């Protein structure tokens, strides 16, 4: 990925709530077409960082550039334009329970495009087919399994053909087989669409399966303590907390 242009660049970023920093002095970049994983123990600030990267919260300090343009310094119209290049799959799928799967996917198309109802229906069908839900347009969320709801949420995230997809704990709540299928779908979509993907997770199986490169956050240091491929972090890191995360050494002793 080193030869690919930078899609996201984070410079000196500190984030938190009420002026209290959760993470400080973050510097990293994400290349076009990369699957970049943000990992770490619970409470390290993974989801908080994603909220700032997607423009939902303003940082305490620092900057976030998307294709060279600051989402932090942009005015409201500029920020909205940048955010239109994002798609987000939330941890629960975040579907509207009173809408069918097809109606959920149609929402961003109805709000942000001039397409006719016939054109939107055709696009909804194609997006659902891309995630393995062809023919499920009329299914209600409560009729779908957890994995199906995640895939429907992914279809909605892709509705506007975003250049960057963000995933917040995509495997959370899924059984191992369903989680592995979702991992394969993520990789398949990256290959087919060359979409840049930022994934927040602490699931080791998913990290090994999908990550081109990973950044590990640490709640004690309140910053990133490691960068690299999962194999590099597991085998070459000199940081004991990184090795423990990837090998689970010492975890059983602490649980006794």
């Amino acid at each position: 990925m080193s030869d690919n242009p930078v899609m996201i660049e984070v410079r000196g970023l500190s984030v938190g709530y009420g002026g209290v920093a959760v993470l400080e002095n973050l510097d990293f970049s994400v290349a076009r077409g990369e699957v970049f994983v943000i990992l770490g123990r619970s409470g390290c600030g993974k989801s908080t960082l994603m909220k700032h990267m997607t423009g939902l919260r303003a940082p305490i300090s620092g900057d976030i550039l998307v294709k060279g343009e600051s989402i932090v310094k942009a005015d409201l119209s500029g920020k909205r334009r940048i955010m239109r290049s994002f798609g987000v799959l939330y941890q629960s799928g975040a579907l509207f329970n009173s809408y069918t799967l097809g109606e959920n996917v149609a929402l961003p198309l109805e709000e942000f495009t001039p397409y006719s109802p016939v054109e939107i229906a055709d696009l909804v069908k194609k997006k659902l087919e891309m995630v393995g839900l062809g023919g499920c347009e009329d299914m209600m969320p409560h009729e779908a399994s957890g994995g199906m709801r995640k895939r429907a949420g992914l279809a909605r995230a892709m509705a506007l053909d975003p250049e960057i997809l963000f995933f917040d704990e995509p495997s959370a709540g899924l059984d191992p087989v369903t989680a592995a299928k979702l991992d394969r779908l993520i990789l398949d979509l990256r290959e087919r669409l060359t979409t840049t993907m930022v994934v927040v997770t602490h699931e080791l199986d998913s990290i090994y399966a999908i990550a081109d490169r990973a950044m590990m956050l640490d709640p004690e240091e309140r910053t990133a303590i490691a960068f690299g491929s999962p194999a590099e972090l597991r085998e070459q890191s000199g940081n004991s907390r990184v090795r423990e995360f990837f090998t689970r050494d010492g975890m059983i002793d602490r649980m006794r």
Side-chain angles (χ1 to χ4, degrees):
M1 294 296 169
S2 60
D3 294 331
N4 290 4
V6 172
M7 286 293 284
I8 303 171
E9 185 175 1
V10 173
R11 299 176 177 173
L13 190 71
S14 294
V15 301
Y17 302 96
V20 178
V22 175
L23 294 165
E24 298 177 305
N25 301 318
L26 290 172
D27 290 283
F28 64 93
S29 62
V30 182
R32 183 186 298 274
E34 182 176 24
V35 179
F36 184 83
V37 170
I38 301 170
L39 59 91
R41 305 199 314 264
S42 296
C44 70
K46 300 185 298 294
S47 294
T48 296
L49 175 57
M50 195 184 83
K51 289 175 184 176
H52 286 77
M53 292 178 70
T54 54
L56 296 179
R57 295 192 64 89
I60 295 172
S61 61
D63 206 356
I64 302 167
L65 306 180
V66 180
K67 294 194 298 182
E69 187 174 2
S70 173
I71 192 172
V72 175
K73 300 174 183 177
D75 59 20
L76 184 58
S77 63
K79 186 174 182 178
R80 286 175 174 170
R81 175 175 45 77
I82 295 170
M83 292 173 71
R84 281 281 303 275
S85 67
F86 301 159
V88 183
L89 175 60
Y90 297 98
Q91 186 173 143
S92 64
L95 300 177
F96 290 96
N97 291 327
S98 59
Y99 289 7
T100 66
L101 301 189
E103 289 169 340
N104 269 279
V105 177
L107 283 172
L109 294 164
E110 293 168 346
E111 183 170 356
F112 296 110
T113 74
Y115 297 140
S116 69
V118 172
E119 291 171 319
I120 288 175
D122 183 57
L123 285 169
V124 167
K125 180 180 178 181
K126 290 178 180 177
K127 298 301 181 184
L128 286 172
E129 287 174 348
M130 288 176 69
V131 299
L133 291 177
C136 295
E137 290 89 340
D138 295 328
M139 181 179 287
M140 299 300 294
H142 72 267
E143 298 172 324
S145 67
M148 293 174 73
R149 290 193 294 272
K150 288 284 181 81
R151 284 184 282 152
L154 178 54
R156 186 179 60 189
M158 298 190 304
L160 299 177
D161 297 320
E163 294 180 84
I164 304 169
L165 276 170
F166 290 89
F167 299 79
D168 187 10
E169 300 283 4
S171 300
L174 301 180
D175 64 82
V177 174
T178 303
K181 289 180 179 178
L182 183 59
D183 289 339
R184 287 195 294 271
L185 175 60
I186 289 172
L187 290 177
D188 179 60
L189 291 172
R190 192 273 296 270
E191 293 302 317
R192 291 165 59 186
L193 306 175
T194 63
T195 305
T196 303
M197 298 182 175
V198 178
V199 183
V200 167
T201 186
H202 62 267
E203 300 286 347
L204 277 177
D205 288 342
S206 290
I207 292 166
Y208 287 128
I210 67 175
D212 293 312
R213 196 162 52 97
M215 173 179 69
M216 184 169 176
L217 303 177
D218 183 78
E220 296 175 24
E221 298 289 338
R222 293 193 301 180
T223 192
I225 59 172
F227 293 89
S229 70
E232 289 170 342
L233 296 181
R234 181 187 65 234
E235 298 165 9
Q236 300 175 19
S237 177
N239 188 304
S240 61
R241 288 199 286 272
V242 176
R243 293 196 307 272
E244 182 178 288
F245 181 91
F246 278 91
T247 64
R248 299 182 179 177
D249 288 346
M251 293 179 67
I252 294 176
D253 290 339
R254 287 204 310 273
M255 292 171 64
R256 288 174 178 168

